[in-house]
Amino acid sequence: MWKLFAVVVVASSLAACASSSSSTAASPATATAGAPAAAAPAVDRGLEPPPPTLRLPRNFLPTKYEAKLAIDPAKSGFTGAIQIIGNVSERSSLIWLHGHHLTVRHAVARRDTGEVALSVRPHGEDLLEIRAARPLERGAWTLAIDYAGEYDERGTTGAFKQTVHDAPYVFSQFEALYARRVFPCFDEPDNKVPWELTLEVPKGLLAVSNTAAGRVTSVSTTTSRFEFAVTKPLPSYLVAFGVGPFDIVPAGQTQHGTAVRVIALKGRSGDAAYAAKTGARILDLLETFFGTPYPYGKLDLLSVPITVGFGAMENAGLVTFTESLILIDPKLASRQREHSWILVAAHELAHQWFGDLVTTAWWDDIWLNEGFATWVESKISAAFDPTWHDEIGEISSRSSALEDDRLITARQIRQPIKNTDDILNAFDNITYGKGASVLNMFEHYVGSDAFMRGVRAYIEAHRFGNATSDQLVAAISEASGKDIRAAFTSFLEQPGAPRITANLVCDPGQPPRVDLAQSRFVPPGAPEPPASKPWGVPVCVAFDRAGKRGDACTLLTAPTGSLALDAPSCPRWVMPNASGRGYYRNAYTPAQVTALRDVAWPQLAQVERNVLLFDVQQAMQAGELPLPLAQSFVPRLITAGDRFSLAAAMSIALTPRDFVADGLRAAYEAWIRKTFGPAAHRAGLLPSARDTLDVESSRAQLVAAVGDLGRDPVFVREAGKLAGHWRDLPEATRALVLAIAAHSQPALTEKLHKDVYTEDDRTRRGEIMYALASSPDVKEQRAALELVLDAKLDIRETEDMLFETASYPANIEVAKEFFRAHQAELLAKIPRDGTASGPAGFAYLFTRTCAPDKRDEIATYVKTAFAKLEGGARVVDQAIESMDQCIARRKVLEPVIQHWLGH
């Protein structure tokens, strides 16, 4: 799934499954006068496991599901009949299944010898207590259950309903805990079995699922029946379907003959052209990468109007994508939009091997799905179009993960699962970005060929089954001949990231060496972390070798170590993250940074420059390196002109943004215009047909900085002229032009307030909302925020307006004021269910203020407002810690910025 652990079994469930004792019910005896009462004979009811608190008991395990659903998108719910074929491991009268808001109408257990009546009642929100009229003996049984369920019309979980241009659709989203909203089932990833699905739908609608429809028949004058082929073994969260008036767009076949289709929303087949042109090719690249054919019979790429908490989902054979990812305007599309599609499609299709073919045994190892797909996506994108250089882009995942890992409250990659909140919290950037970055690091350490031999052996060994991190790491160790188990596990099973100090030592008569030391990175403002063990860190060092470049590597497993350098004289520079793949921070002195800038720069690869600049920018924020030293890199990064260099330049240049006093704001904006203005004006506002991804992306970064943040008058005038026909502008510049113009033209702002209700293109509607919400004028911002709760608009689109405020304290205060004034209504309307932080993420709206005098008030408020929401406790803890670290940065940077801009 695209965005935004040891196996844990609750003790009571283990005890229930392991116990062979019977539950004994004693009835009161009928007393006889003058004689003692005789004890009633014990009734052997067999096993009756207590209510599970996390994982289901294993006294019944499904081996196949046969499910029939009647799905009519025009109605408010569905009906279902499911046969769950499975085995009772021990004589039992009570079975637990998952089921959420399902109304069971009839249930029996069947086997060759007859039927046993079942009574079913809900237990809490997610469980079904299934009690047999008489105990079910050991062996094969089929549970037959007729029931009804409801559509989610507020969010996008279970079977959810959406209407576009008066046409209703129904889609499914089951990861992580939502198959139980559609099927009574064993909703855990290690129960991986075949599914046979039948959908009855209104005539004229198309039904799609994981497999091809083997037979489509007419049930009545109004209903069609789609009988889908039996799936390969799947966990419940990967079962999927869609029902609606779709357009089918053929997308060819792969090199091994797999048919690919895009299932587009009605009337949008033209916008599916790019996905149709590229889908089979991406799958071909993945087959080559994994060295094995695509494991399923067909591939449909299904468009969904809007999603909450996810952007795409890797259901086997039926991958879903939110409309804004898969449906692309063929005439006005931006290169960035096409690039995003390739990355996300590569991510989801990589899951067909990592996640679908081989599935994590439990949610503590979900990084095996998401970290791997993130690791693969850049490699496939780089192969798809080498000019994109996504082998460099993958470093951005590393930097983003290191930022999240700075929190003492950060999760570890393999986080123990103690409750369902831990499952929801697991889909974060530690799982995705850090997981991918650790894979990159160890791939570089053992060598790509050996690493891939291990990956392929792991896939082959666990095809259509489940596996764990330990099994993956063991396979890579065996294939490479390097035992990386302890080192790899040190990154999986403790939070945070190491910070490496590398000191060059040149003793007379001795070879030069680098003395290394590691410790957990703890930024200013963070609490004292718990004790941690040293990581097993593959450290690779690039160094000056008499004017040429040398490289050396070691595995640092202790707090300190040393690495000898093969150099004839004392090196003039040392760069202690050669290749840039090391998942660690480096501590630099000003002298070391100066040498890397002035001497080593031509010999450093692009990724090495990027990781150096990340460390420089971070050290500057902490006051460990001077601001002018960090800013000295900006001119050469602008000259380089590629999107990666410009992103690094922007990161340095925009660091002071949140800490500039109101009286110095004009001076800061003037510096932005002076620094980036010439390059921005050369790029211009309008793209050309010859633009590469780098050119287009660089233009967007430059214009956003100079035209929007810097309020450059030339761009303001040009944007004002172009805004008259903004809908016809290329997508690459449309949103920026509209925002810049709207912020300076009250008449345009007024018009956009009317147009937002009539604009039927979701992408353009989002651009209108962004232009209105991001106004620095607090009066305009307040008017824009009134749209958030307007019943005529979809709150799943408008809720982002609360975050799309300009980064000025006054704007943030307005957004906070609006949320507090409407808190009850907002929390009632915003979807609360989904594999993400949900409404609890609004805690960051308050903690981003970084005001020390309001710290305690804000912390109290976010705890009260958000901590008890789904997944909220961890989100709130991390938001408060982020605020504390921001307050510490403010204390360091404000006087530095005052001195810089006050001259």
Side-chain angles (χ1 to χ4, degrees), residues 83 106 108-116 118 140-144:
Q83 295 195 83
H106 181 257
V108 297
R110 297 191 182 105
R111 69 187 312 181
D112 294 343
T113 55
E115 292 186 352
V116 176
L118 301 176
W141 286 88
T142 296
L143 309 185

Side-chain angles (χ1 to χ4, degrees), residues 759-807:
E759 178 58 62
D760 63 357
D761 179 84
R762 195 180 301 276
T763 298
R764 287 177 175 84
R765 191 161 63 244
E767 291 164 350
I768 292 174
M769 292 176 182
Y770 171 76
L772 294 174
S774 61
S775 172
D777 183 288
V778 295
K779 182 179 179 182
E780 292 181 359
Q781 182 193 5
R782 285 194 176 97
L785 289 175
E786 291 301 320
L787 299 173
V788 173
L789 288 170
D790 195 314
K792 300 185 191 72
L793 300 171
D794 190 334
I795 198 167
R796 292 171 294 190
E797 295 181 75
T798 60
E799 66 173 298
D800 286 344
M801 297 176 75
L802 281 159
F803 280 107
E804 288 171 345
T805 54
S807 291

Side-chain angles (χ1 to χ4, degrees), residues 97-296:
L97 292 178
H98 288 113
H100 178 92
H101 292 192
L102 300 178
T103 302
V104 175
R105 297 167 172 174
H106 181 257
V108 297
R110 297 191 182 105
R111 69 187 312 181
D112 294 343
T113 55
E115 292 186 352
V116 176
L118 301 176
S119 63
V120 181
R121 69 182 184 92
H123 184 92
E125 283 287 296
D126 286 326
L127 295 171
L128 295 177
E129 179 188 272
I130 301 176
R131 190 171 293 277
R134 66 174 186 272
L136 305 181
E137 302 297 336
R138 292 178 60 182
W141 286 88
T142 296
L143 309 185
I145 304 173
D146 294 340
Y147 62 100
E150 57 196 28
Y151 297 137
D152 182 357
E153 298 189 44
R154 178 181 169 191
T156 54
T157 61
F160 62 92
K161 176 179 173 179
Q162 296 185 359
T163 302
V164 181
H165 298 152
D166 297 324
Y169 299 79
V170 169
F171 305 90
S172 67
Q173 169 62 20
F174 294 158
E175 190 176 39
L177 305 173
Y178 307 122
R180 63 193 66 176
R181 300 187 176 203
V182 175
F183 307 110
C185 63
F186 210 98
D187 200 12
E188 297 181 14
D190 62 335
N191 186 232
K192 191 173 180 181
V193 300
W195 286 71
E196 187 172 355
L197 186 62
T198 297
L199 298 180
E200 293 187 353
V201 307
K203 282 194 171 176
L205 299 186
L206 175 68
V208 291
S209 188
N210 303 89
T211 56
R215 187 168 64 159
V216 180
T217 57
S218 177
V219 178
S220 68
T221 58
T222 60
T223 305
S224 296
R225 177 180 295 150
F226 289 75
E227 298 177 58
F228 296 96
V230 180
T231 71
K232 299 289 188 182
L234 291 178
S236 55
Y237 81 89
L238 290 174
V239 177
F241 57 82
V243 175
F246 299 110
D247 287 352
I248 301 177
V249 183
Q253 293 185 340
T254 66
Q255 59 193 358
H256 288 100
T258 300
V260 180
R261 303 185 302 178
V262 178
I263 312 298
L265 300 173
K266 182 180 180 181
R268 299 292 299 277
S269 56
D271 294 340
Y274 190 72
K277 182 174 72 173
T278 57
R281 186 178 167 210
I282 295 169
L283 206 56
D284 283 338
L285 290 170
L286 284 161
E287 288 184 333
T288 300
F289 182 80
F290 287 115
T292 184
Y294 172 69
Y296 302 103

Side-chain angles (χ1 to χ4, degrees), residues 620-634:
M620 177 261 287
Q621 283 189 149
E624 297 170 350
L625 289 176
L627 177 63
L629 178 59
Q631 291 177 335
S632 70
F633 285 90
V634 171

Side-chain angles (χ1 to χ4, degrees), residues 697-716:
S697 179
S698 298
R699 175 187 293 107
Q701 294 181 73
L702 289 165
V703 172
V706 176
D708 199 13
L709 175 62
R711 310 301 301 150
D712 181 88
V714 174
F715 282 132
V716 171

